[in-house]
Amino acid sequence: MNAIKQYFGIDGHNTTIKREVLAGLTTFLTMAYIIFVNPDLLAKAGMDKGAVFVATCLASALGCFLMGLIARLPVALAPGMGLNAFFTFTVVLGMGKSWQVALGAVFISGLLFVLISAFKLREWLINAIPYTLKQGIVAGIGAFLAFIALKSSGIIVASPATYVTMGKLTDFAPAMAILSFFLIVVFVQRKVPAAVMLSILIVTVISLLAGQTHYNGIVSMPPSIAPTFMQLDIAGALDVSMVSVIFAFLFVVLFDTSGTLIGVTKKAGLMNDDGKIPNLGKALFADSTAAVAGSLLGTSSVTSYVESTAGVAAGGRTGLTAIVVGALFLLALFFAPLAGMIPAYATAGAIFYVAVLMLFTLREIDWDDLTEASPVAVVLLLMPLKFSMADGIALCFITYTIAKLVSGRHKEISIAVWVLTIILLAKLIFLS
């Protein structure tokens, strides 16, 4: 016990081992929905659901262990929401790429993240991207997730006259998706622990009782990971048509990780007086390494989870919190039958809830400045309507640059934005 206390600085952070364990449990319960949602989304790309379940748990555990042991921060990691939807609906189903190629793109983006972190380019790159674009892209991903949730649950359906229309809400799947979302709203407002996971389980039980889902047991040995392990196609991902995809994976993880680390360490009181994050380089190494490992195991990009703030609120202050989360992800490996029973409409409410949280960033936008508001409107509307995160991000950068240029405010355009705009514009013109 003394060795654990000394390594993590338990006493120095005015916490206890018991408090750290409880904080880890709290964080896990708030983010455990990913072990149900991620396999369901990636299975739509043709991947083996059982293997993705195992890959999700292993990649999450590895990321948490690296973050806890190396960076010693109370930050948990798992495959990112939005990135898994992009993986399936844009890269595989939209662009017609194989899931193996998509995993190759995740691997390459992870390696680039490692290099950016190692050569300390992260700060320059993040500072070079305007705050408006960062917030707008997050909101666009939220709108994209919302559209996917509504579509997958049958709340909206295809229409030859209007492209999309309202589905029959009294059908079982749409009704359960709606119930799932409002259960989350109630549970979150009433501060019920594990609100999202509890909602998913309640809808699954209702589905079982209604005969819509078949009972397959709760506990078993983990499924084989062989169908996805080391199945990535790196050569296929090096095709020029994948440039914007790799860019999207990289920048979303980069922004997501940075925002999460800032938010969690600030809430925990761990940020230095000058606003710097302790062990930032080690934290980025943990994040980027987990992303690379996830692609090898067979899952979309792994990133830091903002749900870690729940553990911080419960008293977590050290890396021991992240270690506990990692251990619980390993324990979750033995609940594969439960994960296999979760119907898509049970997770649709969770996906829509995450979308709502992402849309909060819209309040940070200066809507009185059209050069700032127009790129946000473009990414918010076109990302879901074009059903492509990569194209949405590209159009966002292009709109921002053109709007600033024609308004005589070209000095506000950074070199990084100029370079990215030219690359993305060329890709859309010559490779679309």
Side-chain angles (χ1 to χ4, degrees), residues 116-117 283:
I116 287 171
S117 302

Side-chain angles (χ1 to χ4, degrees), residues 248-336:
F249 277 131
L250 173 63
F251 277 81
V252 172
V253 171
L254 188 62
F255 298 154
D256 198 29
T257 298
S258 301
T260 298
L261 289 174
I262 291 170
V264 174
T265 55
K266 187 174 182 179
K267 187 175 180 66
L270 299 174
M271 194 175 283
N272 298 333
D273 293 336
D274 57 359
K276 293 184 178 180
I277 298 171
N279 298 326
L280 175 60
K282 294 177 180 179
L284 292 172
F285 171 79
D287 216 309
S288 55
T289 303
V292 172
S295 68
L296 299 175
L297 292 167
T299 184
S300 52
S301 300
V302 175
T303 185
S304 299
Y305 260 57
V306 73
E307 283 86 347
S308 301
T309 53
V312 167
R317 293 295 182 273
T318 75
L320 184 56
T321 294
I323 298 296
V324 172
V325 178
L328 291 171
F329 269 117
L330 291 182
L331 182 62
L333 283 167
F334 299 95
F335 290 86

